[in-house]
Amino acid sequence: MYVVANMNICQGHARCEDICPEIFSTDDNEGKVVIAQSEFPDDLLEKVRLAVRNCPEGALRIVKGGKA
Amino acid sequence: MIVDFDFFDIPRGMSDPAEIWHGLVRKGVPPIFYTPRNGGHWVFLKYIDIVEGYRDHQLFSNHQTPIPPIEPFPVMQPQGVDPPDHNVFRKLLAPMFTPLAVRRMTEGLQHRANTLIAGFADAGGCDFIEDYAAKFPTATFLDLFGLPEERLPEFIALANIFFRSTDSQVRAMNVTDIYEVLDEMFRAKLREPGHDIASAIVAARDEAGGRYPWQDILNCGFLLFVAGLDTVTNTMAYVWRYLATTPEARAHFRGRLDDPAAFQIAIEELMRISAVSNIYRRVMRDCVYKGIQFRRNDRVVLPNMVANRDPAIFDNPQAINLDRKVNNHLTFGVGPHRCMGSHLASGRS
Ligand code: SF4
């Protein structure tokens, strides 16, 4: 499983970082999302899913299998 | 489609201002309606329409939006400017308000808060709004701008007129006074830069290495001065009233001091329920939108407090659930004008 971000939409709310800091952080420049590890381990699925659902911009997406 | 509705007319004693909007929803008024009050404007009542209104900045401009209309109105940088011009100052300010940057401010802000508390600690009590909530945002501004505590009364006086006066002459004078103070302050920062946001703003260079126009710098200072004042004061009042009267909520937060994710989830819920701002936009062209005829320059109100309690989006929206798992509240807006100070306001640290 992969998680990808649409950087044109991300506005740096940092909700993803709050919920799943293992995978998401925000950069020090524009405050936009930085994904540490696009292919994330299965045991983080719940947290990543929750982060995706809490992104107010709908900027995050989980992609099964290959990279989008 | 036309409803006689004055959103400045909040009945005394109404403890939850969101009720003025929910009363309308309960009455079954159309989800997009027009009121002739306050110069005339549209109101969107559904979360989904409000989000789309925020996103479509080409149709719904953030430039010259006041209700009732005030002209000319200072152009706040970057908030009062639409993309792409908006992006320039947004880019300049963004690094100063990232979660990381906010974490670095924590100590200074704690110090300012402690100073305010020390001012009434001996008295054993205070008027929460007057002695603390109304002063803290201005104290924060002084901290961000590297100004000494002694100037607090002067800035509070300016802020009070800005938000409370209804006399248009007094208001116009007040804006001039604020700009004068900002001008003097930015000039001082040019001569003697410090480690503060004002110094960073005057020192900034555009992509071609040039200085930003002085007027833009002043407008940017103006935005930073007024942006976090009343919203923060009012939100603090609701949040602290709730905490003061709800021991379980205090225990909830106390029990999560070691779990930042859960702590922040609870904060977001208080942000959802305590939304205070009603956002204004201005229609850019005559058009039929969602089956309704809009005219150029029509004003639109996007009330966050009704969006945040839309049952189509939130389960049991009127209840405070400090464990609410999915919470896409609009307290800080969405889209290109999302509140840049959100990390500072929600104390992400
Ligand atoms: S929550 Fe969404 S908009 Fe916010 S930083 Fe994460 S990806 Fe970006």
Side-chain angles (χ1 to χ4, degrees), chain B residues 149-207:
Chain B
E149 250 149 45
E150 299 83 77
R151 299 194 67 181
L152 188 60
E154 174 197 341
F155 278 85
I156 284 178
L158 288 172
N160 276 340
I161 300 172
F162 185 80
F163 282 107
R164 317 267 171 258
S165 170
T166 48
D167 180 321
S168 61
Q169 247 176 336
V170 172
R171 296 195 55 155
M173 262 306 285
N174 170 247
V175 171
T176 312
D177 289 346
I178 295 174
Y179 271 83
E180 244 165 53
V181 169
L182 290 170
D183 183 77
E184 169 244 329
M185 178 200 69
F186 279 124
R187 282 182 199 288
K189 295 294 172 188
L190 265 183
R191 289 190 301 271
E192 256 180 84
H195 293 282
D196 52 65
I197 287 184
S199 303
I201 292 171
V202 284
R205 294 287 184 271
D206 62 22
E207 262 149 38

Side-chain angles (χ1 to χ4, degrees), chain B residues 206-254:
Chain B
D206 62 22
E207 262 149 38
R211 280 181 188 283
Y212 287 101
W214 192 246
Q215 191 59 40
D216 284 353
I217 290 177
L218 294 178
N219 292 347
C220 191
F222 185 75
L223 168 76
L224 290 171
F225 179 57
V226 301
L229 291 176
D230 255 24
T231 46
V232 176
T233 300
N234 294 338
T235 308
M236 280 172 100
Y238 292 122
V239 165
W240 260 262
R241 179 183 65 184
Y242 170 71
L243 291 174
T245 53
T246 321
E248 313 86 76
R250 297 201 295 275
H252 183 98
F253 280 102
R254 231 178 268 124

Side-chain angles (χ1 to χ4, degrees), chain A residues 10-16 26 33 55-57 59-60:
Chain A
C10 171
Q11 295 288 348
H13 293 253
R15 297 295 311 280
C16 50
T26 44
V33 64
C55 171
E57 306 290 347
L60 299 172

Side-chain angles (χ1 to χ4, degrees), chain A residues 39-62:
Chain A
E39 184 175 18
F40 59 86
D42 283 348
D43 57 328
L44 284 177
L45 180 60
E46 266 322 292
K47 273 180 114 173
V48 172
R49 228 182 229 154
L50 203 57
V52 170
R53 291 179 67 198
N54 271 291
C55 171
E57 306 290 347
L60 299 172
R61 213 152 45 87
I62 292 179

